[in-house]
Amino acid sequence: MAKRKDARVTVILECKSCIRIGVKKVSTGISRYITQKNRHNTPNQLELRKFCPCCSNHTIHKEIKK
Protein backbone atom coordinates (compact mmCIF):
# COMPACT_ATOMS: atom_id res chain seq x y z
CA MET A 1 0.00 0.00 0.00
CA ALA A 2 1.15 3.48 -0.81
CA LYS A 3 1.57 6.13 1.86
CA ARG A 4 -0.58 9.20 1.56
CA LYS A 5 0.70 12.72 2.19
CA ASP A 6 -0.57 14.37 5.34
CA ALA A 7 -2.47 17.62 4.96
CA ARG A 8 -0.88 19.10 8.09
CA VAL A 9 2.81 20.01 8.01
CA THR A 10 5.05 21.59 10.64
CA VAL A 11 6.46 25.00 9.65
CA ILE A 12 8.91 27.45 11.25
CA LEU A 13 8.03 31.15 11.40
CA GLU A 14 10.90 33.64 11.62
CA CYS A 15 10.81 37.36 12.45
CA LYS A 16 11.61 39.49 9.40
CA SER A 17 12.51 42.68 11.27
CA CYS A 18 15.19 40.90 13.38
CA ILE A 19 16.96 39.82 10.21
CA ARG A 20 17.13 43.42 8.96
CA ILE A 21 18.28 44.75 12.34
CA GLY A 22 20.94 42.03 12.69
CA VAL A 23 22.81 43.30 9.63
CA LYS A 24 23.16 46.86 10.91
CA LYS A 25 23.26 46.47 14.70
CA VAL A 26 24.14 43.82 17.23
CA SER A 27 21.05 41.64 17.49
CA THR A 28 20.09 39.71 20.61
CA GLY A 29 18.83 36.87 18.43
CA ILE A 30 16.17 35.90 15.93
CA SER A 31 12.67 35.05 17.09
CA ARG A 32 11.28 31.76 15.74
CA TYR A 33 7.95 30.04 16.28
CA ILE A 34 6.97 26.48 15.35
CA THR A 35 3.40 25.87 14.20
CA GLN A 36 1.35 23.71 11.85
CA LYS A 37 -0.52 24.59 8.70
CA ASN A 38 -2.91 22.80 6.40
CA ARG A 39 -1.20 22.35 3.04
CA HIS A 40 -4.51 22.18 1.12
CA ASN A 41 -6.04 25.35 2.62
CA THR A 42 -2.89 27.52 2.60
CA PRO A 43 -0.54 26.54 -0.22
CA ASN A 44 1.27 29.92 -0.01
CA GLN A 45 3.87 30.80 2.58
CA LEU A 46 2.34 31.55 5.97
CA GLU A 47 2.67 35.07 7.43
CA LEU A 48 1.50 35.82 10.96
CA ARG A 49 1.83 38.81 13.24
CA LYS A 50 3.44 37.48 16.44
CA PHE A 51 5.29 38.94 19.42
CA CYS A 52 9.06 39.13 18.99
CA PRO A 53 10.96 39.19 22.31
CA CYS A 54 14.09 40.49 20.54
CA CYS A 55 12.29 43.52 19.07
CA SER A 56 9.90 43.85 22.07
CA ASN A 57 6.83 44.36 19.87
CA HIS A 58 4.52 42.56 17.45
CA THR A 59 6.11 42.00 14.04
CA ILE A 60 5.46 39.91 10.93
CA HIS A 61 6.82 36.38 11.13
CA LYS A 62 7.17 34.59 7.81
CA GLU A 63 7.49 30.89 7.01
CA ILE A 64 11.03 29.69 6.23
CA LYS A 65 12.23 26.51 4.57
CA LYS A 66 13.75 23.78 6.70
Side-chain angles (χ1 to χ4, degrees):
M1 296 213 155
K3 283 188 176 180
R4 65 175 200 185
K5 287 191 173 182
D6 292 332
R8 291 232 162 244
V9 292
T10 304
V11 296
I12 300 172
L13 302 174
E14 187 175 78
C15 179
K16 290 299 163 187
S17 62
C18 284
I19 293 171
R20 282 186 256 137
I21 291 170
V23 174
K24 298 173 187 172
K25 299 178 184 175
V26 176
S27 178
T28 56
I30 295 175
S31 173
R32 288 189 175 161
Y33 285 94
I34 298 173
T35 188
Q36 291 184 343
K37 78 170 187 176
N38 190 322
R39 193 182 322 188
H40 300 297
N41 294 341
T42 54
N44 304 348
Q45 281 195 339
L46 192 62
E47 262 188 31
L48 293 175
R49 196 159 180 258
K50 309 273 288 175
F51 181 77
C52 177
C54 304
C55 301
S56 299
N57 58 6
H58 286 83
T59 59
I60 294 177
H61 285 66
K62 200 169 187 179
E63 179 183 339
I64 61 169
K65 294 187 178 183
K66 294 181 184 180

